[in-house]
PDB file of all heavy atoms in Angstrom:
ATOM      1  N   GLY C 221      -4.140 -21.775  -0.445  1.00 97.00           N
ATOM      2  CA  GLY C 221      -3.248 -21.395   0.463  1.00 97.00           C
ATOM      3  C   GLY C 221      -1.901 -21.041  -0.018  1.00 97.00           C
ATOM      4  O   GLY C 221      -1.053 -20.461   0.681  1.00 97.00           O
ATOM      5  N   CYS C 222      -1.689 -21.175  -1.404  1.00 97.00           N
ATOM      6  CA  CYS C 222      -0.344 -20.794  -1.921  1.00 97.00           C
ATOM      7  C   CYS C 222      -0.535 -19.648  -2.908  1.00 97.00           C
ATOM      8  O   CYS C 222      -1.539 -19.476  -3.579  1.00 97.00           O
ATOM      9  CB  CYS C 222       0.154 -21.960  -2.796  1.00 97.00           C
ATOM     10  SG  CYS C 222       0.366 -23.508  -1.934  1.00 97.00           S
ATOM     11  N   ILE C 223       0.543 -18.831  -2.965  1.00 98.00           N
ATOM     12  CA  ILE C 223       0.503 -17.699  -3.998  1.00 98.00           C
ATOM     13  C   ILE C 223       1.064 -18.348  -5.241  1.00 98.00           C
ATOM     14  O   ILE C 223       2.108 -18.933  -5.316  1.00 98.00           O
ATOM     15  CB  ILE C 223       1.460 -16.608  -3.602  1.00 98.00           C
ATOM     16  CG1 ILE C 223       0.910 -15.926  -2.381  1.00 98.00           C
ATOM     17  CG2 ILE C 223       1.543 -15.494  -4.744  1.00 98.00           C
ATOM     18  CD1 ILE C 223      -0.453 -15.236  -2.449  1.00 98.00           C
ATOM     19  N   VAL C 224       0.221 -18.324  -6.315  1.00 98.00           N
ATOM     20  CA  VAL C 224       0.667 -18.953  -7.536  1.00 98.00           C
ATOM     21  C   VAL C 224       1.171 -17.951  -8.632  1.00 98.00           C
ATOM     22  O   VAL C 224       1.940 -18.313  -9.520  1.00 98.00           O
ATOM     23  CB  VAL C 224      -0.458 -19.868  -8.218  1.00 98.00           C
ATOM     24  CG1 VAL C 224      -0.755 -21.034  -7.257  1.00 98.00           C
ATOM     25  CG2 VAL C 224      -1.748 -19.096  -8.571  1.00 98.00           C
ATOM     26  N   GLU C 225       0.735 -16.680  -8.494  1.00 98.00           N
ATOM     27  CA  GLU C 225       1.249 -15.715  -9.411  1.00 98.00           C
ATOM     28  C   GLU C 225       1.121 -14.330  -8.776  1.00 98.00           C
ATOM     29  O   GLU C 225       0.196 -14.077  -8.009  1.00 98.00           O
ATOM     30  CB  GLU C 225       0.448 -15.756 -10.696  1.00 98.00           C
ATOM     31  CG  GLU C 225       1.017 -14.780 -11.817  1.00 98.00           C
ATOM     32  CD  GLU C 225       0.639 -15.293 -13.177  1.00 98.00           C
ATOM     33  OE1 GLU C 225      -0.258 -16.054 -13.381  1.00 98.00           O
ATOM     34  OE2 GLU C 225       1.249 -14.634 -14.156  1.00 98.00           O
ATOM     35  N   VAL C 226       2.087 -13.428  -8.966  1.00 98.00           N
ATOM     36  CA  VAL C 226       2.059 -12.022  -8.626  1.00 98.00           C
ATOM     37  C   VAL C 226       2.396 -11.238  -9.848  1.00 98.00           C
ATOM     38  O   VAL C 226       3.387 -11.545 -10.503  1.00 98.00           O
ATOM     39  CB  VAL C 226       3.062 -11.697  -7.475  1.00 98.00           C
ATOM     40  CG1 VAL C 226       3.007 -10.284  -7.037  1.00 98.00           C
ATOM     41  CG2 VAL C 226       2.903 -12.521  -6.259  1.00 98.00           C
ATOM     42  N   LEU C 227       1.583 -10.254 -10.208  1.00 98.00           N
ATOM     43  CA  LEU C 227       1.914  -9.473 -11.350  1.00 98.00           C
ATOM     44  C   LEU C 227       1.198  -8.054 -11.185  1.00 98.00           C
ATOM     45  O   LEU C 227       0.290  -7.928 -10.440  1.00 98.00           O
ATOM     46  CB  LEU C 227       1.575 -10.191 -12.716  1.00 98.00           C
ATOM     47  CG  LEU C 227       0.097 -10.169 -13.157  1.00 98.00           C
ATOM     48  CD1 LEU C 227       0.084 -10.779 -14.628  1.00 98.00           C
ATOM     49  CD2 LEU C 227      -0.754 -11.151 -12.231  1.00 98.00           C
ATOM     50  N   PRO C 228       1.546  -7.142 -12.056  1.00 98.00           N
ATOM     51  CA  PRO C 228       0.930  -5.837 -12.006  1.00 98.00           C
ATOM     52  C   PRO C 228      -0.482  -5.991 -12.398  1.00 98.00           C
ATOM     53  O   PRO C 228      -0.712  -6.657 -13.389  1.00 98.00           O
ATOM     54  CB  PRO C 228       1.754  -4.946 -13.019  1.00 98.00           C
ATOM     55  CG  PRO C 228       3.041  -5.608 -13.165  1.00 98.00           C
ATOM     56  CD  PRO C 228       2.747  -7.098 -12.978  1.00 98.00           C
ATOM     57  N   GLY C 229      -1.428  -5.354 -11.650  1.00 96.00           N
ATOM     58  CA  GLY C 229      -2.834  -5.566 -12.005  1.00 96.00           C
ATOM     59  C   GLY C 229      -3.174  -5.238 -13.499  1.00 96.00           C
ATOM     60  O   GLY C 229      -3.987  -5.864 -14.083  1.00 96.00           O
ATOM     61  N   GLU C 230      -2.486  -4.115 -13.982  1.00 96.00           N
ATOM     62  CA  GLU C 230      -2.785  -3.694 -15.345  1.00 96.00           C
ATOM     63  C   GLU C 230      -2.396  -4.706 -16.383  1.00 96.00           C
ATOM     64  O   GLU C 230      -2.753  -4.598 -17.530  1.00 96.00           O
ATOM     65  CB  GLU C 230      -2.166  -2.343 -15.646  1.00 96.00           C
ATOM     66  CG  GLU C 230      -0.696  -2.396 -15.471  1.00 96.00           C
ATOM     67  CD  GLU C 230      -0.048  -1.036 -15.445  1.00 96.00           C
ATOM     68  OE1 GLU C 230      -0.701  -0.015 -15.268  1.00 96.00           O
ATOM     69  OE2 GLU C 230       1.184  -0.987 -15.757  1.00 96.00           O
ATOM     70  N   LYS C 231      -1.580  -5.646 -15.963  1.00 96.00           N
ATOM     71  CA  LYS C 231      -1.046  -6.630 -16.989  1.00 96.00           C
ATOM     72  C   LYS C 231      -1.727  -8.018 -16.813  1.00 96.00           C
ATOM     73  O   LYS C 231      -1.430  -8.861 -17.624  1.00 96.00           O
ATOM     74  CB  LYS C 231       0.566  -6.828 -16.794  1.00 96.00           C
ATOM     75  CG  LYS C 231       1.258  -5.557 -17.066  1.00 96.00           C
ATOM     76  CD  LYS C 231       2.669  -5.871 -17.266  1.00 96.00           C
ATOM     77  CE  LYS C 231       3.413  -4.680 -17.840  1.00 96.00           C
ATOM     78  NZ  LYS C 231       4.929  -4.790 -17.559  1.00 96.00           N
ATOM     79  N   ALA C 232      -2.673  -8.106 -15.871  1.00 95.00           N
ATOM     80  CA  ALA C 232      -3.316  -9.378 -15.597  1.00 95.00           C
ATOM     81  C   ALA C 232      -4.017  -9.893 -16.888  1.00 95.00           C
ATOM     82  O   ALA C 232      -3.983 -11.080 -17.148  1.00 95.00           O
ATOM     83  CB  ALA C 232      -4.265  -9.303 -14.381  1.00 95.00           C
ATOM     84  N   ALA C 233      -4.665  -9.063 -17.599  1.00 92.00           N
ATOM     85  CA  ALA C 233      -5.532  -9.387 -18.661  1.00 92.00           C
ATOM     86  C   ALA C 233      -4.619  -9.922 -19.841  1.00 92.00           C
ATOM     87  O   ALA C 233      -5.121 -10.765 -20.633  1.00 92.00           O
ATOM     88  CB  ALA C 233      -6.385  -8.242 -19.231  1.00 92.00           C
ATOM     89  N   THR C 234      -3.454  -9.392 -19.987  1.00 93.00           N
ATOM     90  CA  THR C 234      -2.626  -9.711 -21.196  1.00 93.00           C
ATOM     91  C   THR C 234      -1.467 -10.613 -20.887  1.00 93.00           C
ATOM     92  O   THR C 234      -0.988 -11.406 -21.736  1.00 93.00           O
ATOM     93  CB  THR C 234      -2.074  -8.438 -21.825  1.00 93.00           C
ATOM     94  OG1 THR C 234      -1.480  -7.662 -20.887  1.00 93.00           O
ATOM     95  CG2 THR C 234      -3.258  -7.652 -22.472  1.00 93.00           C
ATOM     96  N   GLU C 235      -0.889 -10.545 -19.625  1.00 96.00           N
ATOM     97  CA  GLU C 235       0.348 -11.314 -19.448  1.00 96.00           C
ATOM     98  C   GLU C 235       0.369 -12.283 -18.382  1.00 96.00           C
ATOM     99  O   GLU C 235       1.349 -12.840 -17.961  1.00 96.00           O
ATOM    100  CB  GLU C 235       1.451 -10.147 -19.050  1.00 96.00           C
ATOM    101  CG  GLU C 235       1.848  -9.438 -20.390  1.00 96.00           C
ATOM    102  CD  GLU C 235       2.782  -8.296 -20.148  1.00 96.00           C
ATOM    103  OE1 GLU C 235       3.627  -8.396 -19.257  1.00 96.00           O
ATOM    104  OE2 GLU C 235       2.647  -7.336 -20.888  1.00 96.00           O
ATOM    105  N   ALA C 236      -0.862 -12.683 -17.875  1.00 96.00           N
ATOM    106  CA  ALA C 236      -0.941 -13.731 -16.867  1.00 96.00           C
ATOM    107  C   ALA C 236      -0.364 -15.002 -17.497  1.00 96.00           C
ATOM    108  O   ALA C 236      -0.651 -15.300 -18.600  1.00 96.00           O
ATOM    109  CB  ALA C 236      -2.370 -13.913 -16.426  1.00 96.00           C
ATOM    110  N   MET C 237       0.352 -15.721 -16.712  1.00 96.00           N
ATOM    111  CA  MET C 237       1.021 -16.969 -17.194  1.00 96.00           C
ATOM    112  C   MET C 237       0.415 -18.248 -16.583  1.00 96.00           C
ATOM    113  O   MET C 237       0.312 -19.261 -17.175  1.00 96.00           O
ATOM    114  CB  MET C 237       2.491 -16.951 -17.018  1.00 96.00           C
ATOM    115  CG  MET C 237       3.179 -15.908 -17.879  1.00 96.00           C
ATOM    116  SD  MET C 237       4.850 -15.590 -17.510  1.00 96.00           S
ATOM    117  CE  MET C 237       5.686 -16.978 -18.066  1.00 96.00           C
ATOM    118  N   HIS C 238       0.227 -18.215 -15.214  1.00 97.00           N
ATOM    119  CA  HIS C 238      -0.305 -19.389 -14.512  1.00 97.00           C
ATOM    120  C   HIS C 238      -1.583 -19.844 -15.122  1.00 97.00           C
ATOM    121  O   HIS C 238      -2.522 -19.037 -15.283  1.00 97.00           O
ATOM    122  CB  HIS C 238      -0.369 -19.103 -13.069  1.00 97.00           C
ATOM    123  CG  HIS C 238      -0.388 -20.327 -12.240  1.00 97.00           C
ATOM    124  ND1 HIS C 238      -1.524 -21.101 -12.096  1.00 97.00           N
ATOM    125  CD2 HIS C 238       0.576 -20.978 -11.611  1.00 97.00           C
ATOM    126  CE1 HIS C 238      -1.292 -22.149 -11.367  1.00 97.00           C
ATOM    127  NE2 HIS C 238       0.005 -22.103 -10.985  1.00 97.00           N
ATOM    128  N   PRO C 239      -1.744 -21.199 -15.347  1.00 95.00           N
ATOM    129  CA  PRO C 239      -2.967 -21.701 -15.844  1.00 95.00           C
ATOM    130  C   PRO C 239      -4.188 -21.279 -15.073  1.00 95.00           C
ATOM    131  O   PRO C 239      -5.280 -21.050 -15.600  1.00 95.00           O
ATOM    132  CB  PRO C 239      -2.765 -23.250 -15.863  1.00 95.00           C
ATOM    133  CG  PRO C 239      -1.261 -23.425 -15.897  1.00 95.00           C
ATOM    134  CD  PRO C 239      -0.672 -22.213 -15.144  1.00 95.00           C
ATOM    135  N   TYR C 240      -4.009 -21.248 -13.785  1.00 95.00           N
ATOM    136  CA  TYR C 240      -5.142 -20.847 -12.853  1.00 95.00           C
ATOM    137  C   TYR C 240      -5.512 -19.345 -13.113  1.00 95.00           C
ATOM    138  O   TYR C 240      -6.727 -19.027 -13.285  1.00 95.00           O
ATOM    139  CB  TYR C 240      -4.847 -21.084 -11.435  1.00 95.00           C
ATOM    140  CG  TYR C 240      -6.016 -20.658 -10.458  1.00 95.00           C
ATOM    141  CD1 TYR C 240      -7.207 -21.225 -10.562  1.00 95.00           C
ATOM    142  CD2 TYR C 240      -5.812 -19.573  -9.494  1.00 95.00           C
ATOM    143  CE1 TYR C 240      -8.253 -20.820  -9.750  1.00 95.00           C
ATOM    144  CE2 TYR C 240      -6.731 -19.207  -8.671  1.00 95.00           C
ATOM    145  CZ  TYR C 240      -8.007 -19.818  -8.841  1.00 95.00           C
ATOM    146  OH  TYR C 240      -9.069 -19.417  -7.983  1.00 95.00           O
ATOM    147  N   THR C 241      -4.545 -18.526 -13.180  1.00 95.00           N
ATOM    148  CA  THR C 241      -4.881 -17.125 -13.389  1.00 95.00           C
ATOM    149  C   THR C 241      -5.499 -16.917 -14.773  1.00 95.00           C
ATOM    150  O   THR C 241      -6.429 -16.181 -14.892  1.00 95.00           O
ATOM    151  CB  THR C 241      -3.569 -16.269 -13.333  1.00 95.00           C
ATOM    152  OG1 THR C 241      -2.705 -16.641 -12.278  1.00 95.00           O
ATOM    153  CG2 THR C 241      -3.940 -14.716 -13.193  1.00 95.00           C
ATOM    154  N   ARG C 242      -4.934 -17.633 -15.738  1.00 93.00           N
ATOM    155  CA  ARG C 242      -5.419 -17.490 -17.136  1.00 93.00           C
ATOM    156  C   ARG C 242      -6.855 -17.975 -17.176  1.00 93.00           C
ATOM    157  O   ARG C 242      -7.727 -17.392 -17.881  1.00 93.00           O
ATOM    158  CB  ARG C 242      -4.596 -18.234 -18.102  1.00 93.00           C
ATOM    159  CG  ARG C 242      -3.164 -17.584 -18.212  1.00 93.00           C
ATOM    160  CD  ARG C 242      -2.271 -18.414 -19.130  1.00 93.00           C
ATOM    161  NE  ARG C 242      -2.864 -18.450 -20.451  1.00 93.00           N
ATOM    162  CZ  ARG C 242      -2.344 -17.718 -21.454  1.00 93.00           C
ATOM    163  NH1 ARG C 242      -1.283 -16.884 -21.293  1.00 93.00           N
ATOM    164  NH2 ARG C 242      -2.862 -17.790 -22.665  1.00 93.00           N
ATOM    165  N   ALA C 243      -7.159 -19.084 -16.491  1.00 91.00           N
ATOM    166  CA  ALA C 243      -8.566 -19.653 -16.518  1.00 91.00           C
ATOM    167  C   ALA C 243      -9.541 -18.554 -15.903  1.00 91.00           C
ATOM    168  O   ALA C 243     -10.651 -18.307 -16.407  1.00 91.00           O
ATOM    169  CB  ALA C 243      -8.653 -20.967 -15.763  1.00 91.00           C
TER     170      ALA C 243
END
Side-chain angles (χ1 to χ4, degrees):
C222 304
I223 297 296
V224 297
E225 185 155 15
V226 181
L227 79 170
E230 61 190 18
K231 295 195 170 159
T234 52
E235 285 172 36
M237 290 168 77
H238 196 282
Y240 178 60
T241 318
R242 293 176 65 103

